Amino acid sequence: MSTLPDTPPAVKDDSREHPIAGAWRPMLCDIVRCFVEGDYALSKGVDGVDPVSSEKAQHIRDALEDYGATLVELPETTWETSVAQWTGDFWDVFVDLWTAEEGQSDLVLQGRVTESEDGARFSIHLVYVP
């Protein structure tokens, strides 16, 4: 069963982490789908996602290649462990990534969600092992 777009809501609580907002999940799945397809720069664009520089795309490619496992699209269960936390100006978002070999991996997609007139905007910061 998939999450309704407005549940869970985006919570502005800087005292603790909360589940990633349902409205952001399709966008985050689209990002990971691009990575799975080898498009680390999101060259076709993803609605609501800031452009990725060639330098950042190379860092993402390197992180995934160095990890040595095959990235797969996000399963619904990723939302059980992925989190967002309000900082006062934006949400820090941490999405647990999955691989064919391991299932849930040690890799994380980290970025920020800001509010805009057009809705949520996601900016990718890193793909890494915390």
Side-chain angles (χ1 to χ4, degrees):
M1 179 165 102
S2 65
T3 305
L4 296 173
D6 57 349
T7 58
V11 178
K12 290 184 178 177
D13 173 6
D14 63 5
S15 66
R16 67 184 188 90
E17 298 172 334
H18 291 273
I20 292 177
W24 307 341
R25 294 176 182 189
M27 168 179 55
L28 297 168
C29 287
D30 288 347
I31 292 168
V32 174
R33 185 174 302 113
C34 287
F35 293 169
V36 167
E37 295 170 356
D39 181 9
Y40 306 105
L42 309 180
S43 62
K44 297 175 188 168
V46 174
D47 286 342
V49 180
D50 293 339
V52 177
S53 70
S54 58
E55 181 179 338
K56 188 173 289 186
Q58 187 61 50
H59 284 288
I60 294 166
R61 176 190 316 275
D62 292 346
L64 293 171
E65 287 177 1
D66 290 348
Y67 191 74
T70 309
L71 188 67
V72 296
E73 293 187 28
L74 296 176
E76 189 67 25
T77 53
T78 199
W79 309 121
E80 295 171 10
T81 56
S82 299
V83 296
Q85 184 164 358
W86 179 246
T87 68
D89 295 315
F90 58 85
W91 288 269
D92 266 327
V93 175
F94 300 88
V95 179
D96 292 323
L97 300 178
W98 292 62
T99 67
E101 294 82 1
E102 304 171 293
Q104 186 175 350
S105 73
D106 293 330
L107 289 163
V108 173
L109 165 62
Q110 191 267 325
R112 292 180 176 174
V113 171
T114 55
E115 296 175 301
S116 76
E117 292 177 1
D118 300 323
R121 295 284 318 165
F122 186 73
S123 175
I124 296 171
H125 282 244
L126 293 170
V127 172
Y128 69 108
V129 175

